[in-house]
């Protein structure tokens, strides 16, 4: 498919790998693979040093980081760094998630928003499914109606029964993503 790029999430919780392990893997990956580091509750300096040491091409901010963090990352690491913000969707907080999407989509330093689930003990990588019909209505359809320019990546317990229909602004987070 034209425009399709593969990506590899590195440093993901709970399947955490060390920076040294990532640095050993990255040189063996094809140039067409985005090397995305997943960061949970990480400080700016930790993210910067990990990206530099490992040769990452992007970061996934899997926490409620301050809105200025993506700009600060681009200042330190360059505008080519891919930056993904994460919304941990649940139906009870749908209005708050729609507001988060609006905020992230207005940030010129955010390349995409990954919609994921979480549990009480883990913020991602759980395989836990959430109400995709509610997410589709609240986030994905509203994003298209409002002509949100930021890419949306669907993740969080995806299976053949709940995979949303991809659109030009929505990609599936199963190891691939669509970028402009």
């Amino acid at each position: 498919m034209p425009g399709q790029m593969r990506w590899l999430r590195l440093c993901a919780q709970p399947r955490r790998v060390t920076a040294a392990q990532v640095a050993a893997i990255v040189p063996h990956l094809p140039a067409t693979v985005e090397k995305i580091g997943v960061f949970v509750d990480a400080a700016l300096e930790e993210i910067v040093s990990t990206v530099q040491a490992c040769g990452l091409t992007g970061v996934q901010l899997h926490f409620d980081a301050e809105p200025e963090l993506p700009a600060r990352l681009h200042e330190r690491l360059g505008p080519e760094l891919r930056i993904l913000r994460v919304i941990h969707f649940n139906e009870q907080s749908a209005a708050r998630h729609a507001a988060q999407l609006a905020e992230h989509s207005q940030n010129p330093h955010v390349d995409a928003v990954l919609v994921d689930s979480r549990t009480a003990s883990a913020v991602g990588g759980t395989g836990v499914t959430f109400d995709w019909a509610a997410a589709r209505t609240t986030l994905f359809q509203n994003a298209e109606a409002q002509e949100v320019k930021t890419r949306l990546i669907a993740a969080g317990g995806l299976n053949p029964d709940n995979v949303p229909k991809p659109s030009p602004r929505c990609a599936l987070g199963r190891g691939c993503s669509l970028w402009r």
Side-chain angles (χ1 to χ4, degrees), residues 41-117:
D41 298 329
L44 173 67
E45 291 305 321
E46 178 186 353
I47 297 170
V48 169
S49 65
T50 303
V51 168
Q52 291 173 331
C54 298
L56 300 178
T57 58
V59 297
Q60 181 177 313
L61 304 176
H62 231 294
F63 60 103
D64 292 328
E66 71 255 11
E68 301 81 26
L69 182 58
R72 293 173 67 201
L73 288 167
H74 276 160
E75 286 172 13
R76 298 280 301 276
L77 299 167
E80 64 280 352
L81 181 76
R82 302 273 192 192
I83 299 178
L84 288 73
R85 295 298 307 259
V86 176
I87 294 175
H88 295 107
F89 186 83
N90 68 58
E91 191 174 2
Q92 296 75 25
S93 302
R96 181 173 58 87
H97 300 315
Q100 285 177 311
L101 176 60
E103 178 184 329
H104 296 328
S105 67
Q106 292 176 9
N107 187 331
H109 299 281
V110 173
D111 295 293
V113 174
L114 184 132
V115 182
D116 201 356
S117 59

